[in-house]
Amino acid sequence: MSPLIEITDPKVFDPETIIIDVRAGAGGHERYLAGHLPNAIFATLDDDLAAHPEDPAFGGRHPLPAVKDFTGTLTKWGITPDSHIVIYDDKAAAMGGARLWWMLKAIGHKNVQVLNGGLKAATDAGIVLSTDDYQPKAAAAPYPTPAGYNGTADIDEVGEAAKSDDKVVIDVRENARYLGLTEPLDLIAGHIPGAENLFYAKNMDENGKYLAPEKLAEMYRSAIGNVKPENVIVHCGSGVTACHTLLGMASAGITEPRLYVGSWSEWSRRDLPIATDIV
């Protein structure tokens, strides 16, 4: 199953498909009520897909919720291990959609896809949006809770990987943040020494859809060279937009890279080496 699904695929509107609309930031619920896919469950990045950090220096600005809390949310949404899930957001999967996809894959859920192009793809296709506040029915049985999330890398692993010739750390933030020219969200500008920059927006075409798998594969291979996918670690500011690139990699058939959840928001608060290109 491709990790991406097109709005023209009838499975998107299959009554058995569970659709989840992920919104981020202030006013998310209001934007959802202004228009969403019919029967889409409302989810928020901050409350459903992240814990509230006591100190971003340990876990970053968007740490993962405890697994039991996440599976509890899935149960509340009526999801079972056999559910087919389609996810979207209003930022072409960059602000929550891909994060939820990654979290589901990280606990072993198989039948999950992201709507290519997000909400814009639906409106461009002339889909009539709903303005109701859809409330799902909880699943009859609790979603099984695994021991943890697979596919993560911690701060120590990232530091070692960035210095290694046979591993790659990819920073998907925009180039100005990577270079240390600006930092709108965290305390210190710059990047992890040795990390490569590959801005996540390069995953998309001019319509906000992912590039074709072969073009994505060419771009990623140029960045990681001959490094094995399991030795690739991807990060961003707080472990959200990095998932956009991990989704793109999966679309290109590169399925083993790991996520550094704490990302720059953790690294930059731990008195660790920081690189910039400011003279």
Side-chain angles (χ1 to χ4, degrees):
M1 174 185 290
S2 169
L4 295 171
I5 190 168
E6 301 296 329
I7 191 64
T8 52
D9 193 317
K11 291 180 182 177
V12 174
F13 300 102
D14 186 316
E16 297 300 315
T17 298
I18 293 179
I19 304 176
I20 304 178
D21 179 312
V22 183
R23 303 289 175 127
H29 194 239
E30 288 75 12
R31 300 200 313 275
Y32 166 84
L33 292 176
H36 56 83
L37 291 186
N39 297 328
I41 298 167
F42 171 68
T44 71
L45 169 63
D46 291 327
D47 293 331
D48 296 314
L49 310 185
H52 296 283
E54 294 183 6
D55 183 353
F58 298 91
R61 287 183 280 107
H62 288 109
L64 292 170
V67 181
K68 63 179 179 59
D69 293 336
F70 180 49
T71 55
T73 297
L74 298 181
T75 302
K76 180 182 69 176
W77 288 341
I79 292 173
T80 73
D82 295 324
S83 297
H84 180 204
I85 304 169
V86 171
I87 305 163
Y88 72 92
D89 62 25
D90 55 356
K91 301 293 183 183
M95 285 305 295
R99 166 80 165 219
L100 178 53
W101 166 85
W102 181 88
M103 289 171 65
L104 284 160
K105 298 296 288 186
I107 65 166
H109 196 94
K110 299 185 183 303
N111 299 323
V112 53
Q113 296 176 291
V114 174
L115 180 62
N116 197 9
L119 186 63
K120 182 179 183 297
T123 56
D124 287 350
I127 302 300
V128 177
L129 301 181
S130 172
T131 58
D132 69 346
D133 195 0
Y134 178 72
Q135 299 298 318
K137 181 180 178 181
Y143 194 101
T145 300
Y149 296 95
N150 292 318
T152 65
D154 64 27
I155 194 168
D156 294 328
E157 291 176 288
V158 171
E160 290 301 315
K163 295 183 291 186
S164 174
D165 291 335
D166 59 358
K167 297 180 181 179
V168 174
V169 176
I170 295 177
D171 181 333
V172 309
R173 295 175 302 156
E174 61 184 307
N175 190 246
R177 291 180 71 189
Y178 171 84
L179 294 177
L181 301 176
T182 184
E183 181 46 63
L185 297 172
D186 291 307
L187 304 179
I188 303 173
H191 62 268
I192 298 170
E196 297 187 16
N197 186 220
L198 184 59
F199 186 29
Y200 81 90
K202 292 183 177 180
N203 297 326
M204 297 179 283
D205 64 18
E206 63 277 6
N207 295 313
K209 289 191 172 186
Y210 276 88
L211 298 173
E214 58 272 17
K215 290 186 177 180
L216 289 170
E218 181 180 359
M219 179 174 66
Y220 300 140
R221 286 298 176 189
S222 178
I224 68 178
N226 294 322
V227 172
K228 296 178 180 179
E230 60 266 29
N231 290 332
V232 176
I233 300 171
V234 183
H235 82 89
C236 54
S238 65
V240 178
T241 53
C243 296
H244 192 279
T245 290
L246 290 167
L247 175 59
M249 287 180 166
S251 177
I254 304 171
T255 58
E256 299 298 325
R258 292 181 291 159
L259 171 66
Y260 172 32
V261 179
S263 288
W264 184 247
S265 59
E266 179 180 59
W267 183 278
S268 62
R269 288 171 167 83
R270 294 283 286 271
D271 195 28
L272 293 168
I274 290 175
T276 70
D277 280 17
I278 300 175
V279 178

